[in-house]
Amino acid sequence: DIIVFEYENIAGESVVLKYFSLQKLNKDQKEAEKQNLLEEFSLVKRFGGHSNVVWMYDAKELYHEGQLVGVYITMEKFDYMLSELIEVDAPFQESDVKDFLVQMDEVLQTAHYELDKPVIHANIKPDNIGIRKLGGGQYQYVLMDFQVFKELRLQEGSEPRYIVSVR
């Protein structure tokens, strides 16, 4: 179960807290789910605050009477999701589409070639692209939900070729 809280912090930023309840899982399932969530948090942090990757602030494990009951992650709240704009038939100008493609190209370039351990985001879709409103009617498109990804590792040899490792 996932419970989502939205609030404004003392700095005036809109924040989302996602609480992942693990109470109904057995011990091994709890540990596996916890590791997956914390691995996603760590992966996002590897991007070093890239402008086109979701800002995640904190991740914590929660225990009750010595038993793991959940994990929570705090992250930024978006003005819109790309899927919301598509659903309302928002008119997209050619320049909007070009801007979107350039931003996604930049973040994927970082993911595939610039991280210490390159990754492939395996679940890119409008529901996983947040939108920040910038001044002048400009948007910043933000990739999120890195729960499904594949790590790339450099293959031994003279040419740089990558092997996809499924986690």
Side-chain angles (χ1 to χ4, degrees):
D1 294 334
I2 301 173
I3 302 170
V4 178
F5 301 93
E6 295 179 10
Y7 63 96
E8 193 172 288
N9 66 17
I10 60 172
E13 301 164 321
S14 294
V15 178
V16 171
L17 183 145
K18 286 187 177 181
Y19 172 72
F20 300 86
S21 175
L22 306 178
Q23 295 178 49
K24 295 179 183 176
L25 304 178
N26 69 40
K27 186 177 180 179
D28 291 338
Q29 291 171 322
K30 285 180 183 183
E31 190 60 31
E33 185 64 20
K34 176 187 87 169
Q35 289 306 319
N36 287 341
L37 292 165
L38 297 178
E39 186 175 9
E40 178 187 12
F41 179 79
S42 294
L43 172 63
V44 167
K45 289 300 190 181
R46 286 176 22 202
F47 279 88
H50 191 290
S51 61
N52 298 108
V53 175
V54 60
W55 296 330
M56 289 186 161
Y57 306 116
D58 198 10
K60 295 279 189 211
E61 305 165 31
L62 298 172
Y63 291 86
H64 179 71
E65 296 180 359
Q67 298 294 316
L68 178 65
V69 294
V71 173
Y72 77 81
I73 296 175
T74 56
M75 65 186 66
E76 71 180 300
K77 180 181 183 302
F78 294 106
D79 297 310
Y80 300 100
M81 299 304 291
L82 184 57
S83 57
E84 293 173 303
L85 288 184
I86 291 170
E87 285 176 12
V88 296
D89 295 323
F92 292 97
Q93 304 298 318
E94 184 177 326
S95 61
D96 296 328
V97 174
K98 182 179 177 185
D99 192 38
F100 168 77
L101 292 174
V102 166
Q103 290 183 45
M104 288 297 103
D105 179 61
E106 288 174 4
V107 72
L108 294 175
Q109 175 76 20
T110 298
H112 299 169
Y113 301 105
E114 297 170 14
L115 295 180
D116 58 338
K117 292 180 184 175
V119 295
I120 296 173
H121 189 300
N123 196 17
I124 297 175
K125 59 185 180 182
D127 283 336
N128 291 339
I129 298 174
I131 298 177
R132 293 185 197 117
K133 284 177 147 181
L134 305 176
Q138 298 292 105
Y139 293 128
Q140 192 167 54
Y141 301 96
V142 181
L143 200 51
M144 60 181 291
D145 194 0
F146 282 84
Q147 288 185 353
V148 182
F149 72 93
K150 299 180 186 317
E151 248 184 25
L152 297 172
R153 58 185 162 85
L154 196 56
Q155 183 178 13
E156 302 273 335
S158 58
E159 292 183 36
R161 288 193 277 177
Y162 288 99
I163 300 170
V164 177
S165 301
V166 180
R167 75 171 171 118

